[in-house]
Amino acid sequence: MYDFRADPASSKPEIYRQLCDAALALTEGERDGIANMANVAALLWEYLPDLNWAGFYRAMGDELVLGPFAGRPACIRIPFGQGVCGAAAASGQTQLVADVNAFPGHIACDAASRSELVVPVMKNGEVLAVIDLDSPTPARFDAEDAAGIERLAGALASRL
Ligand code: SME
């Protein structure tokens, strides 16, 4: 049995350190990228409060394809450059969106989403996947969340 949980008294950077350690422990020695994404999506869902979606889109050619996630069913294919996920994939840059309704081209998979954080997972200069977090709370994510998920993305690059 796995029982990874954040200590609620921890600071945000500490929660992300624990999350990263847990993700590395869960994916240690496993070569199947889908299995690793599935466990990390479950971990994100369990560790981070106030989310309505947490998971992966995988880069396949010039589009993103839905990967393992927790939350409501979501759109399956997103062309590079479209929506928040497509912007992260096309630019290779984290997208921190305080108000999804103000983001041009935002793709609403769940009408409850109000803010979003998307971080690309890069390997050898190419986007392998993106990690997508959605929240029903406006401005749920800040620079510490972005840094924490970027740390996770860096740790996972060789395991997807
Ligand atoms: N909102 C995303 C689409 C994916 S869902 O949030 C799960 C976007 O604009 O790319």
Side-chain angles (χ1 to χ4, degrees), residues 53 57 74-75 78 82-86 105-109 116 132 134:
W53 205 89
Y57 278 87
C75 29
I78 300 176
Q82 286 190 20
V84 185
C85 292
H106 168 255
I107 300 163
C109 293
E116 185 160 1
D132 182 15
D134 284 42

Side-chain angles (χ1 to χ4, degrees), residues 44-59:
L44 286 162
W45 188 252
E46 200 162 80
Y47 257 73
L48 301 177
D50 200 20
L51 302 181
N52 62 323
W53 205 89
F56 291 84
Y57 278 87
R58 297 171 298 143

Side-chain angles (χ1 to χ4, degrees), residues 7-60:
D7 175 351
S10 303
S11 67
K12 234 184 220 192
E14 177 55 29
I15 285 173
Y16 282 106
R17 263 192 294 279
Q18 293 171 19
L19 170 65
C20 212
D21 287 351
L24 284 173
L26 269 176
T27 56
E28 174 76 41
E30 176 51 61
R31 287 176 287 105
D32 190 288
I34 301 277
N36 287 337
M37 284 186 256
N39 262 338
V40 173
L43 204 58
L44 286 162
W45 188 252
E46 200 162 80
Y47 257 73
L48 301 177
D50 200 20
L51 302 181
N52 62 323
W53 205 89
F56 291 84
Y57 278 87
R58 297 171 298 143
M60 316 270 282

